[in-house]
Amino acid sequence: MTNAIATVSLSGTLEDKLRAAAAAGFPAVEIFDTDFLASTLSPQGVRALLDELGLACVLYQPFRDLEGMPEPFRARAFERIRQKFQVMGELGCDRILLCSNCSPHSSGDRDRIVADLRELGDLAATYGVKVGYEALAWGLHVNDHRDAWEIVKAVDHPSIGILLDSFHSLARGIPSDSIRAIAPDKLFFVQLADAPLLDMNYLYWSRHFRSLPGQGGFDLTGYVAEILKLGYRGPLSLEIFNDRFRANSAEMVARDGMRSLDALRDAARRAIGAKPNMPARARIERIEFIEFAVGDGDRGAIEGLLRSAGCSLVGRHRTKAVELWRNGSANFVVNHETSGFAGSYQLSHGTSICAIGLVVADGAATMERACHLGIAMHASDIPTMPALRGVAGSLVYVLDIEASRTIWADEFDTVLPLVYAGPDVGVQAIDHVAATIPNDEYLSWQLYWRSLFDVDVQAQQDVIDPKGLVQSQAIQNASGSFRITLNTTDARDALASRFLSQSFGAGFQHIALRVGDMNAAATALSEHGLAKLPVPDNYFDDAEQRFALSDADAVTMRDNAVLIDEDGEGRRYRQLYSRAFAKTFFFEFVERSAGYDGYGAPNAAIRLAAQNRFRDPIVIG
Ligand SMILES: O=C(O)c1ccc(O)c(O)c1
Ligand SMILES: [Mg+2]
């Protein structure tokens, strides 16, 4: 059972697509009709390129509007498909996809459809070709794989089988256990695509929003589990129509495609009790630390920001120019080294967050799974803390629970505070980290987290920046002890875009620290001198009524610029933002009442408008 990808999923010319698929390690492709028609390569030229790249062409697709057509369309369709069969012979491809008919001329008469497909079967057999009949979700008469199967059964021809495409099945909410009805030898091909759960016309949803398995909201594990249980041994093939992918690097999408199929196959094998061939998705316990790479000129400003946020210096690295700062349970590694990883990260991105450290249930298994998924490692000089490449070349350090207990004492000398460090802000944990990512890498980083780690996603949020739309995807583990948000925009002047240009690429833009009591934390932060992000009075005038705030609450929230949200169950979330350091990253303090699982999305527009007021004036001239 091989991985395959349809050329329509990748950007560029047919040649670019085939080269990218091969470079990512795909052994097989589907050739999309338009990609072939638009190519200057002859069929023999394509065949030679496939051979050179070690690729098999396992499907030619699509062929449209053949069954149930009146004359003269019917005769023409049969002549056209005969020409396709000839081309396929030259390409070395023995399988073609026939979409269910969408033509307004077509008839839905079952006997006609069955008779036409049987005649097609006879023609296909003379060319040694097999035809997979696919129910398009928007097919005029056939739009459900259960119907397509009934038709294929009635056709009863060795050259006519069914082709399953997860988009068409799952977009319509067809139960995956219906696949059990299909005779295994009649399942000719399987195409896979995920998609975000949108309430949209099937055709538009399919042609623009499909994504790789693990980037959307469909239960593909359940779908593929049924296909494996059936005993299907053919290719699992990605067919992704996606506007972003059409503009992205074909190499990146192809590489992610392999990762997504490998992770999906693993999940489906587990679902049916088959022996897995890689460790399970890694369980994250928490974020143990955040590491800043700090340039010489920024040392004072970073120390000022950390102190104002209530952090204190608690350790000095034994051998490196690295400090450990702490705020309750949150650790900050402040790296001043000019060489090594942090030094080079600082050179290319400026003073910024260069790494996060995760505590996982099993470090060795995490690294082994990462290896199976083609996630790049970074040679770490601390053996108990291996590292993976993360967003924008930042690192994700992987710590066992045991390593997380010893790492600080092993590496750092304790610094006793000589002076009273000020009131405790009461930080209980790193609540979440927020990454800002260029649009073309947005889905790629979702796949990274979802394929390697045991995490789930929430519905994507659309957030309004005064200068454009920002999309935000929250990813978290089941207990909520690990949370990350991925944010992106197309709007060139939105805060997220300004961050991307200031920091020369993606990165972590803010860190949220969880406190037990926001009012107490806000008072402590004022004493530390935190520069809070001001929030307009209009917001509080509304919030007082909307959340029926007590007078005391209303006053402290207004005085401390604390935002508030509430979920459907009345569970609340309070947020306080710091001003940004050098227009790049900032802190958020949050109080999360038990069970509240969001991120204060309704307040994001208020926060972005407030931050927009602090942007540099545009200089003209
Ligand atoms: O959008 C389409 O027309 C189309 C074409 C071929 C397919 O396999 C498919 O799933 C959709
Ligand atoms: Mg399809």
Side-chain angles (χ1 to χ4, degrees):
M1 200 186 227
T2 54
N3 288 350
I5 187 165
T7 54
V8 73
S9 319
L10 301 170
S11 65
T13 63
L14 181 59
E15 193 171 341
D16 298 334
K17 292 163 187 259
L18 296 179
R19 287 192 187 282
F26 278 98
V29 291
E30 300 173 21
I31 291 187
F32 202 70
D33 189 51
T34 320
D35 288 330
F36 175 70
L37 301 187
S39 173
T40 53
L41 290 174
S42 65
Q44 296 76 15
V46 175
R47 175 70 181 267
L49 182 58
L50 290 168
D51 290 347
E52 176 201 323
L53 296 171
L55 288 172
C57 176
V58 285
L59 188 76
Y60 191 88
Q61 72 120 340
F63 195 87
R64 301 180 194 276
D65 301 343
L66 178 132
E67 77 285 21
M69 291 300 267
E71 294 298 354
F73 303 107
R74 184 178 186 284
R76 231 182 269 161
F78 275 84
E79 281 314 309
R80 272 190 65 222
I81 203 162
R82 184 193 288 277
Q83 191 260 337
K84 298 294 174 197
F85 290 162
Q86 279 160 1
V87 169
M88 288 165 62
E90 289 167 310
L91 293 174
C93 175
D94 71 352
R95 232 150 266 237
I96 189 166
L97 176 155
L98 174 69
C99 296
S100 59
N101 209 319
C102 296
S103 163
H105 301 296
S106 63
S107 151
D109 181 90
R110 280 301 155 105
D111 294 342
R112 272 290 318 279
I113 292 175
V114 168
D116 284 347
L117 292 182
R118 196 170 293 142
E119 187 176 328
L120 176 65
D122 287 343
L123 180 65
T126 64
Y127 287 88
V129 165
K130 289 186 185 283
V131 179
Y133 187 48
E134 174 187 58
L136 293 179
W138 57 93
L140 219 50
H141 316 288
V142 179
N143 48 38
D144 182 317
H145 70 241
R146 291 169 294 194
D147 258 358
W149 168 237
E150 290 305 321
I151 290 169
V152 165
K153 223 172 18 175
V155 171
D156 190 25
H157 191 292
S159 298
I160 303 291
I162 183 170
L163 182 147
L164 286 176
D165 177 327
S166 62
F167 179 87
H168 301 299
S169 303
L170 299 176
R172 296 193 75 98
I174 301 168
S176 293
D177 60 9
S178 61
I179 291 171
R180 292 176 198 173
I182 298 171
D185 63 327
K186 287 287 186 187
L187 177 53
F188 279 7
F189 203 82
V190 174
Q191 294 180 317
L192 297 173
D194 206 341
L197 302 179
L198 303 169
D199 190 1
M200 188 183 276
N201 158 287
Y202 294 127
L203 186 147
Y204 200 80
W205 186 13
S206 175
R207 296 244 174 108
H208 300 274
F209 294 95
R210 287 191 184 208
S211 58
L212 293 170
Q215 294 177 332
F218 289 159
D219 175 19
L220 279 161
T221 302
Y223 194 80
V224 173
E226 291 295 345
I227 285 165
L228 298 187
K229 270 196 283 187
L230 207 60
Y232 172 79
R233 295 273 173 273
L236 294 180
S237 188
L238 297 168
E239 189 202 32
I240 321 291
F241 304 88
N242 179 293
D243 295 347
R244 280 190 170 105
F245 291 2
R246 289 186 192 278
N248 278 7
S249 133
E251 287 69 23
M252 181 182 81
V253 173
R255 192 198 58 217
D256 284 349
M258 283 294 281
R259 181 175 296 167
S260 79
L261 281 176
D262 290 344
L264 174 56
R265 205 187 290 277
D266 172 61
R269 288 176 63 83
R270 283 169 198 282
I272 63 168
K275 192 171 158 296
N277 39 27
M278 66 175 92
R281 293 197 302 159
R283 203 175 81 218
I284 302 175
E285 302 287 335
R286 62 177 184 277
I287 300 176
E288 177 68 11
F289 68 87
I290 308 278
E291 180 170 345
F292 291 92
V294 180
D296 235 10
D298 291 328
R299 180 186 276 261
I302 281 288
E303 287 192 11
L305 175 74
L306 289 171
R307 281 191 204 287
S308 73
C311 306
S312 20
L313 174 66
V314 297
R316 280 212 172 81
H317 197 276
R318 300 227 160 85
T319 57
K320 298 182 200 159
V322 177
E323 294 169 352
L324 173 62
W325 291 65
R326 196 164 271 162
N327 195 350
S329 306
N331 296 304
F332 300 97
V333 173
V334 180
N335 195 324
H336 296 286
E337 291 275 302
T338 49
S339 61
F341 170 74
S344 51
Y345 197 89
Q346 193 277 326
L347 272 184
S348 46
H349 298 274
T351 291
S352 52
I353 294 164
C354 64
I356 60 175
L358 298 183
V359 181
V360 296
D362 184 340
T366 306
M367 298 306 282
E368 193 188 329
R369 183 171 173 93
C371 185
H372 277 276
L373 296 175
I375 292 173
M377 318 267 158
H378 172 85
S380 161
D381 49 9
I382 304 174
T384 54
M385 203 171 75
L388 300 169
R389 289 278 172 178
V391 172
S394 66
L395 295 184
V396 174
Y397 285 104
V398 173
L399 290 89
D400 267 331
I401 294 167
E402 182 53 30
S404 74
R405 283 202 196 99
T406 56
I407 191 101
W408 304 120
D410 286 353
E411 299 282 322
F412 290 84
D413 285 325
T414 306
V415 174
L416 294 172
L418 297 177
V419 287
Y420 171 56
D424 185 0
V425 177
V427 172
Q428 298 172 333
I430 296 171
D431 185 84
H432 65 271
V433 291
T436 299
I437 291 170
N439 209 317
D440 53 358
E441 295 174 30
Y442 181 59
L443 288 171
S444 181
W445 289 109
Q446 291 186 36
L447 180 69
Y448 172 92
W449 287 102
R450 293 175 69 181
S451 61
L452 179 55
F453 296 106
D454 184 11
V455 289
D456 286 315
V457 289
Q458 295 189 352
Q460 178 180 281
Q461 300 286 332
D462 291 333
V463 172
I464 306 302
D465 179 291
K467 294 292 186 176
L469 181 79
V470 178
Q471 294 183 307
S472 182
Q473 177 66 65
I475 300 175
Q476 67 224 356
N477 64 3
S479 72
S481 67
F482 168 78
R483 295 169 182 275
I484 182 170
T485 67
L486 306 179
N487 305 279
T488 195
T489 187
D490 266 338
R492 59 190 149 69
D493 209 18
L495 178 76
S497 289
R498 302 200 300 276
F499 170 82
L500 292 174
S501 56
Q502 299 270 3
S503 49
F504 301 99
F508 292 103
Q509 194 173 11
H510 87 256
I511 300 161
L513 303 176
R514 187 157 70 242
V515 299
D517 177 342
M518 180 55 85
N519 288 351
T523 308
L525 289 166
S526 297
E527 282 191 44
H528 286 289
L530 183 77
K532 297 173 189 162
L533 181 73
V535 175
D537 278 334
N538 295 350
Y539 175 84
F540 295 108
D541 294 344
D542 172 71
E544 273 179 36
Q545 308 309 319
R546 192 145 52 101
F547 299 99
L549 299 178
S550 70
D551 290 348
D553 246 6
V555 170
T556 29
M557 279 180 52
R558 203 181 281 260
D559 286 352
N560 291 296
V562 173
L563 302 158
I564 179 167
D565 184 33
E566 185 175 273
D567 67 14
E569 313 294 319
R571 296 173 295 213
R572 289 187 167 179
Y573 187 66
R574 293 170 197 264
Q575 306 166 269
L576 183 161
Y577 287 97
S578 80
R579 292 281 316 281
F581 167 84
K583 307 272 174 215
T584 50
F585 59 81
F586 51 95
F587 281 111
E588 177 186 3
F589 294 85
V590 305
E591 180 197 311
R592 189 184 278 283
S593 60
Y596 176 95
D597 206 27
Y599 299 82
N603 292 326
I606 310 292
R607 187 256 296 174
L608 288 162
Q611 289 174 316
N612 190 55
R613 286 189 280 276
F614 287 100
R615 59 184 305 186
D616 288 333
I618 296 165
V619 181
I620 298 168

